[in-house]
Amino acid sequence: MSEIKRSNSKAIVSLIMGVLSLFIPIIGIILGILGLIFASKSKQEMNLTGESGNGLVTAGKICSIIGIILNVLMILIFMVFFYFVVNTDISTY
């Protein structure tokens, strides 16, 4: 029988943080950064222990990077929107 390798727990956390960074606004930047940190730590652990989870690490990194980019773009869009809303000279009287 073939031996089933355990998945690295930090790889699972990396994936969870990456997915949450996609769906939670503003806090998603922090979650994305944490996802990248957990991904790098889990990659180092997997090289030492021989655990599985390379796919989880890759998916976690991709989701974290996309989540960070989307959250930064969302913040920039809101800043530009509010800049134009505040600086428009509309008098209602």
Side-chain angles (χ1 to χ4, degrees), residues 3 9 21 32-35 40-41 43 51 59 66 76 79 83:
E3 182 180 328
S9 59
S21 74
I33 293 170
L34 287 174
S40 66
K41 296 281 186 185
K43 195 72 165 168
E51 292 177 318
I66 292 172
L76 290 175
M79 288 174 65
Y83 174 78

Side-chain angles (χ1 to χ4, degrees), residues 16-91:
I16 292 170
M17 294 286 186
V19 170
L20 287 176
S21 74
L22 292 170
F23 295 111
I24 300 177
I26 299 173
I27 300 172
I29 294 173
I30 297 168
L31 293 174
I33 293 170
L34 287 174
L36 290 174
I37 292 170
F38 276 107
S40 66
K41 296 281 186 185
S42 67
K43 195 72 165 168
Q44 292 172 356
E45 279 185 9
M46 288 186 318
N47 289 336
L48 293 175
T49 61
E51 292 177 318
S52 65
N54 283 328
L56 296 173
V57 171
T58 304
K61 279 184 181 180
I62 291 171
C63 288
S64 295
I65 291 169
I66 292 172
I68 291 169
I69 291 170
L70 288 177
N71 279 296
V72 168
L73 285 175
M74 181 188 64
I75 289 171
L76 290 175
I77 289 171
F78 280 137
M79 288 174 65
V80 169
F81 174 74
F82 286 122
Y83 174 78
F84 284 116
V85 167
V86 169
N87 287 331
T88 54
D89 189 29
I90 300 174
S91 58

